Amino acid sequence: MNIGGLRGPLRRTAAVAVLGALVAVTGCERTSTRAEAKPTGTEQITGLAGPAAVAGQPAGPGGACVFVKPDGAQRFGHVGWGFRINGSDRWVYGAVENPSGKLYTPPGGDIGAWHAEGSYARMLSEMSRDAHYPGKSEHPYSRYRCTGSSTYDVAAARAMIRTVAARGFLVGVDPKTGKLTSRDCLDATYDVLKAYKTRRLTPAAKLAIPNVWVESLVGWSDKRLTPR
């Protein structure tokens, strides 16, 4: 079990496991409260780095974003992700929404995994409106944090998108291993951005709280996201 990045034996984390279950039920699914969002200025990513040599990929800066529903999961938070196709204004973005709200969905089941590709402006627009879950959420993503990255691996990140979509959803005891662990919206976001080789990506331990992890992203921009 993990809260704020600390692991411990199961026998010492029974109380925190209840909190983890609560996050699973409401943290990676639609929620009925719409957050108030304030307009921001010019949208841009700070710290875009120079070219990096990656075999088979166009030269140019990379970048990554984390999208947040701060009031999701009774204020424990819900997250999605985006990464830049280096050397272009094309981004790949998505999330695991877990629309059923179940603590466990076996591999191959519907966990609300989706992804799309478009310009930076389109990514912000679609995330701000929950465009890929129309009518199922009254609380779009209302905050986002971004960073430039001198390292990137678009092919690996695309492969990880397929992996997280197929591996099911879990917060609690894994029926196969008997271990307390997670495969939730935060795990999906972190695993995709880690596969991308995002710089300054803080590790996300299993069962970490999304809003706690988001605050640990040092050197990332931090902006409100308004419907557009």
Side-chain angles (χ1 to χ4, degrees):
M1 183 69 179
N2 171 271
I3 293 294
L6 299 176
R7 294 179 182 270
L10 178 58
R11 64 178 179 273
R12 291 184 296 177
T13 59
V16 185
V18 175
L19 178 60
L22 175 61
V23 173
V25 171
T26 61
C28 297
E29 64 168 296
R30 59 189 179 276
T31 178
S32 60
T33 303
R34 181 181 297 273
E36 180 182 0
K38 297 180 180 179
T40 61
T42 302
E43 306 289 4
Q44 63 180 359
I45 299 177
T46 59
L48 283 177
V54 180
Q57 298 187 30
C65 293
V66 171
F67 294 89
V68 192
K69 296 182 180 182
D71 293 337
Q74 298 188 19
R75 299 186 183 277
F76 290 114
H78 167 74
V79 292
W81 46 263
F83 61 83
R84 185 176 186 175
I85 299 176
N86 51 295
S88 75
D89 186 39
R90 303 290 293 179
W91 289 73
V92 181
Y93 47 98
V96 167
E97 307 288 352
N98 190 33
S100 72
K102 295 179 180 179
L103 295 178
Y104 175 67
T105 299
D110 179 14
I111 60 172
W114 67 271
H115 70 279
E117 182 176 325
S119 67
Y120 183 62
R122 177 178 175 181
M123 175 177 70
L124 296 187
S125 175
E126 293 192 351
M127 296 301 282
S128 75
R129 296 180 288 107
D130 270 341
H132 293 274
Y133 265 74
K136 295 187 177 181
S137 176
E138 296 179 8
H139 179 64
Y141 295 88
S142 61
R143 180 187 182 192
Y144 66 112
R145 305 198 64 183
C146 297
T147 185
S149 183
S150 59
T151 57
Y152 41 77
D153 191 332
V154 174
R158 289 187 186 275
M160 183 56 67
I161 290 172
R162 296 190 292 271
T163 296
V164 301
R167 70 188 182 188
F169 184 92
L170 171 68
V171 172
V173 177
D174 190 325
K176 290 187 176 181
T177 66
K179 295 181 179 180
L180 187 64
T181 187
S182 61
R183 293 189 290 272
D184 60 10
C185 57
L186 174 54
D187 295 308
T189 296
Y190 174 74
D191 289 347
V192 169
L193 295 185
K194 180 181 179 181
Y196 181 76
K197 302 187 185 304
T198 305
R199 294 291 301 274
R200 297 186 294 273
L201 182 65
T202 304
K206 297 298 182 181
L207 294 164
I209 295 176
N211 278 345
V212 173
W213 177 75
V214 166
E215 298 303 329
S216 74
L217 297 174
V218 178
W220 293 52
S221 65
D222 191 354
K223 297 183 178 182
R224 296 301 299 262
L225 184 62
T226 59
R228 57 193 68 192

